[in-house]
Amino acid sequence: ELVELTLLFFQEKTLGGQHWVITAGPTREAIDPVRYISNHSSGKMGYAIAQAAVNAGANVTIISGPVSISAPAGCKVINVESAEQMHQAAMKQSDNADVFIACAAVADYRAADIAPQKMKKSSQDMSISLVRNPDIVKDVAAKANKPFVVGFAAETQDVETYALGKLTSKKLDMICANDVSIATQGFNANQNALTVFDKDSSTEIPLADKAMVATQLVKLIAEKRS
Amino acid sequence: ELVELTLLFFQEKTLGGQHWVITAGPTREAIDPVRYISNHSSGKMGYAIAQAAVNAGANVTIISGPVSISAPAGCKVINVESAEQMHQAAMKQSDNADVFIACAAVADYRAADIAPQKMKKSSQDMSISLVRNPDIVKDVAAKANKPFVVGFAAETQDVETYALGKLTSKKLDMICANDVSIATQGFNANQNALTVFDKDSSTEIPLADKAMVATQLVKLIAEKRS
């Protein structure tokens, strides 16, 4: 029966007329013209959510960091590199969004100064000074005309504690926690498992292909919004 | 006539029986389980050199950092992530190599400590302490039974000065300099242009597809060795 209800949800294009904005992939923070700081996000989860939202009839905008996968047909894609670029695009696109899903693995910090030329290795040790990047999902959730805002918490320990902390402190409507210390799920894997929290409840989406997890998540978001 | 001579070089499998070892791609230096420092190397140049050496009859081993392109058929590929892993593989593979080409964009520095858990963002500013990575091409060139060693110098300024400095200080047999500040050549481009120095001379390989540049470079190395 659950499967049939899910099929119906997508067949009926339940999200028709809605604008969903989804960030995906890593960001790259330049150190100099050739070096950067990044992370292992593949973009697969964000792109899978975009595909599921398209399947359910939504107009979808993906704001994507550098990935090597193709965007689902029918999505608008805005390509960015850095967290600051993603922040700018997210603030703009969320103006007329119904749902904003922050699935990208955004770098928390960027280099304080980007060297204009390739840095020469001169000493045994060195250090890179970093400054905080803007908090994209927090800033979108703080907007007066905010959409329904869904965050992600990719953690390697104390997953639930950190996720609930982010839900409250960033004033999110929902947060999806996953434990990326488990190799079969998360960043570069084809599968994922999520625990989804809102202020009243939590829902387990068990380990499955990211497409299947995305389908359940999109349906859950639609239910919680209504 | 030059084209005919080049064709003959490849048709006659001039490098038959030789073992060429080529490093390619970037390295990734972990900061914690999800974050890393890397660079924009695509691996295209190293893989193109491997293809050209295979075409000329060599047995080719590629020691490759993380790339999203496929290795040429007939190559042995050793996949690595960090500079230390690449160094270990290079020292071993170069034991029975005739030619060693260090085309990878190896990170000069790695994090002094790799955090076992994802680092939490706690303060506005932070810094990452870095220590020097081993110098792979220098260490291979310092071996008693060293192969013919070819380095690369990807620079954004004073290209010739830096390249000649590396040729001498690292005791290389040859160095290929390219200016990666020019968008049409180098790291992520499909074309490249090289200035190749040995202790006596320099040779220009003009801007062309990386396959064409690799073909000329492999022929040049073979001539200089003989």
Side-chain angles (χ1 to χ4, degrees), chain A residues 27-168:
Chain A
T27 65
R28 278 185 186 167
E29 308 300 322
I31 300 171
D32 68 19
V34 298
R35 299 178 178 91
Y36 59 81
I37 299 173
S38 193
N39 63 64
H40 291 288
S41 171
S42 62
K44 288 174 191 166
M45 192 65 224
Y47 280 46
I49 296 168
Q51 178 73 68
V54 166
N55 291 348
N59 295 317
V60 176
T61 301
I62 301 177
I63 304 171
S64 180
V67 297
S68 55
I69 59 175
S70 300
C75 291
K76 178 182 173 190
V77 181
I78 299 171
N79 291 303
V80 299
E81 289 253 327
S82 68
E84 287 184 305
Q85 289 168 356
M86 188 172 277
H87 182 266
Q88 189 172 23
M91 294 304 277
K92 184 171 174 188
Q93 294 300 319
S94 58
D95 265 347
N96 62 353
D98 298 286
V99 173
F100 179 83
I101 306 174
C103 192
V106 180
D108 299 324
Y109 295 89
R110 67 179 182 277
D113 300 294
I114 300 174
Q117 302 292 348
K118 184 183 174 192
M119 294 187 303
K120 305 309 294 181
K121 48 183 183 244
S122 48
S123 59
Q124 267 318 107
D125 305 334
M126 66 173 277
S127 74
I128 304 173
S129 293
L130 303 174
V131 295
R132 277 286 285 279
N133 270 325
D135 190 326
I136 296 172
V137 76
K138 185 177 181 179
D139 287 354
V140 170
K143 288 173 77 163
N145 59 342
K146 83 174 193 69
F148 187 87
V149 178
V150 182
F152 269 73
E155 303 292 348
T156 58
Q157 58 182 347
D158 300 335
V159 177
E160 180 171 344
T161 308
Y162 284 126
L164 287 172
K166 286 179 181 176
L167 180 76
T168 309

Side-chain angles (χ1 to χ4, degrees), chain A residues 190-213:
Chain A
N190 290 316
Q191 295 195 312
N192 206 356
L194 300 176
T195 309
V196 184
F197 301 93
D198 60 19
K199 66 178 195 302
D200 305 314
S201 63
S202 73
T203 307
E204 294 289 338
I205 300 182
L207 186 67
D209 283 355
K210 285 182 172 176
M212 182 64 72
V213 171

Side-chain angles (χ1 to χ4, degrees), chain A residues 28 31 33-40 81 108-109 117-118 120-132 154-157 162 170 180 187, chain B residues 28 31 33-40 81 108-109 117-118 120-132 154-157 162 170 180 187:
Chain A
R28 278 185 186 167
I31 300 171
V34 298
R35 299 178 178 91
Y36 59 81
I37 299 173
S38 193
N39 63 64
H40 291 288
E81 289 253 327
D108 299 324
Y109 295 89
Q117 302 292 348
K118 184 183 174 192
K120 305 309 294 181
K121 48 183 183 244
S122 48
S123 59
Q124 267 318 107
D125 305 334
M126 66 173 277
S127 74
I128 304 173
S129 293
L130 303 174
V131 295
R132 277 286 285 279
E155 303 292 348
T156 58
Q157 58 182 347
Y162 284 126
K170 299 185 184 189
V180 293
F187 273 17
Chain B
R28 279 185 187 167
I31 299 172
V34 298
R35 299 178 177 92
Y36 59 81
I37 300 173
S38 192
N39 62 65
H40 291 288
E81 288 254 327
D108 298 325
Y109 295 88
Q117 303 292 349
K118 184 182 173 190
K120 306 308 295 180
K121 46 185 185 243
S122 48
S123 60
Q124 268 317 107
D125 304 334
M126 65 173 279
S127 74
I128 304 174
S129 293
L130 303 174
V131 295
R132 277 287 285 279
E155 304 290 348
T156 57
Q157 60 182 344
Y162 284 125
K170 300 186 183 188
V180 293
F187 273 17

